[in-house]
Amino acid sequence: MAHSSADRRRVFLAYRTVFTGPHAQIRKSKKVREVIEQHKGSFQPLLKDFGFDKVADIIKTLLDQRVFESELKAKIAFPELFQTSPARDVQRNESENDAARSVAEAVEELESASEPSEPAAKIALSLYPSYLPYKTQHLILTVAQRQLEECCFDFAAKWLPSLLEEYKWDCAEAVELTKWTRTLAKRCDKVPASAIDSGSETPLKEVFFSTNVLRHTAVHRLPTTARGIHKMIQSASRLAQTLGDHSRAAELENLHLEIGSRIRDMELNKNFLENRLDEQLHAISEQRAELDRKEREAIATMLQEDQENKLLIGSFLEDAVGTTFGRPDETGPMESTSVVNGAHESDGNDGDEHENVAARGLL
């Protein structure tokens, strides 16, 4: 059964986060339905609108076309999701940079022991930069912080046991991350060269201190962008790798890749929503222009008809005046017809009176 592009796009955007990794390789209808059933609670509105069977059918088609597993095929199937304008790109980069600067300034204030200022609220028709729910951000950063503190403790236990004895640090929780990195950075020259994995091109000092922002953001509850979190986890993975903790480095790298994938899912959805808004605003602008034209036309019609009515009323009153008082001639003032007629009648009466007087005289 053929489905509209809009329906296929809606299902793709919703289930892209589900049918990823191994799930993107599913081809059997039964397994597809099982996965949909497992995540039923998260997509109730969609399932209510389309029905379970229609959603399953669309997902099966998209899986067969490898749209979930290949971004190239997704671009071919839904090019509108990947389209963006240069103006939008500039706006998004600026918003991301502004957010990054705000976090950096807050961290600097924290490190200088001053109270961080509240970031200025911005209202704009943009869904960027992308943010994760704060609960999710805090979970990711606190887990990464704990992993790094354990990594540092294990490194010290193996290569710098005297350090632990000197300060009586008997567990990873005894020292916060920034103190671990600062202490280990000073003691690196006291461990064998083989203890440090120097495969990274990033300077060793930067590797140690790049995780400070992770600790400050987690401890001081600083909301940061999804891309900012992505970068922090990358720094965490690099530090674990440098300290030779390949197991934790791999786990953190997997988390880094997962966050990157989810950010991409978010941005695809944001692209669609912003593009749709642009289309809606364009249509609204055209409707507004049409309404403005109709408004001007209605006002002009009202004024014109009022003028016509005024002239009509004027002509009626002029006729009434002419009927009542007579119309003005071309040379003199207007005279009342009743006055003129009265004058004629008076002249006739005067003639009759003269005739009567003459007759009485003869008598």
Side-chain angles (χ1 to χ4, degrees), residues 111-361:
E111 291 181 336
S112 62
S114 62
E115 188 68 20
S117 56
E118 291 292 329
K122 292 187 178 181
I123 301 176
L125 290 176
S126 175
L127 298 176
Y128 287 81
S130 301
Y131 285 87
L132 299 176
Y134 185 77
K135 181 179 179 181
T136 305
Q137 171 190 314
H138 190 64
L139 173 64
I140 291 172
L141 296 184
T142 51
V143 167
Q145 180 184 357
R146 185 176 67 250
Q147 291 295 312
L148 290 180
E149 287 172 352
E150 292 174 355
C151 175
C152 291
F153 179 80
D154 291 347
F155 179 85
K158 183 175 181 179
W159 300 108
L160 296 166
S162 59
L163 173 68
L164 302 182
E165 294 175 3
E166 178 183 353
Y167 290 103
K168 302 187 183 312
W169 294 340
D170 59 355
C171 63
E173 292 78 7
V175 189
E176 66 176 15
L177 181 59
T178 50
K179 189 168 185 177
W180 271 122
T181 54
R182 186 169 61 249
T183 303
L184 294 181
K186 292 178 181 177
R187 306 284 181 116
C188 274
D189 58 343
K190 293 181 169 51
V191 301
S194 59
I196 301 293
D197 186 339
S198 55
S200 172
E201 296 180 359
T202 307
L204 190 58
K205 185 177 181 180
E206 184 179 333
V207 171
F208 276 108
F209 296 126
S210 64
T211 57
N212 285 3
V213 66
L214 185 155
R215 179 266 175 193
H216 292 320
T217 302
V219 172
H220 295 283
R221 310 303 201 265
L222 301 177
T224 191
T225 67
R227 289 198 171 276
I229 296 170
H230 186 240
K231 186 176 180 180
M232 291 179 200
I233 300 304
Q234 184 181 37
S235 297
S237 176
R238 187 168 54 220
L239 176 58
Q241 184 69 32
T242 299
L243 295 179
D245 194 332
H246 303 299
S247 174
R248 287 193 178 93
E251 291 172 350
L252 289 168
E253 181 58 24
N254 287 339
L255 178 58
H256 173 247
L257 294 174
E258 180 69 15
I259 293 171
S261 175
R262 298 308 180 184
I263 289 175
R264 186 58 176 154
D265 292 341
M266 284 175 54
E267 291 180 348
L268 277 180
N269 195 61
K270 289 177 185 291
N271 289 349
F272 166 70
L273 294 176
E274 288 192 342
N275 289 340
R276 186 180 66 183
L277 176 64
D278 287 342
E279 293 174 1
Q280 291 172 335
L281 291 179
H282 179 70
I284 291 171
S285 177
E286 291 183 339
Q287 292 170 2
R288 184 179 291 117
E290 176 65 13
L291 290 174
D292 289 343
R293 185 191 65 77
K294 289 182 176 181
E295 179 184 3
R296 291 192 298 270
E297 186 178 277
I299 292 172
T301 300
M302 177 191 72
L303 295 175
Q304 180 182 348
E305 292 181 359
D306 179 64
Q307 180 68 12
E308 292 172 353
N309 182 258
K310 182 170 69 174
L311 294 173
L312 178 64
I313 295 299
S315 69
F316 287 155
L317 290 174
E318 289 175 9
D319 289 343
V321 170
T323 300
T324 305
F325 300 101
R327 298 186 181 279
D329 55 29
E330 297 179 355
T331 59
M334 178 175 70
E335 291 183 339
S336 170
T337 55
S338 61
V339 172
V340 172
N341 294 334
H344 291 164
E345 291 176 358
S346 177
D347 290 344
N349 293 334
D350 288 345
D352 292 340
E353 287 179 2
H354 288 308
E355 290 177 355
N356 292 334
V357 170
R360 285 194 297 271

Side-chain angles (χ1 to χ4, degrees), residues 3-4 7 11 49-59:
H3 300 286
S4 71
D7 289 350
V11 171
D49 290 346
F50 285 7
F52 191 95
D53 291 340
K54 180 176 178 178
V55 170
D57 187 51
I58 292 175
I59 290 176

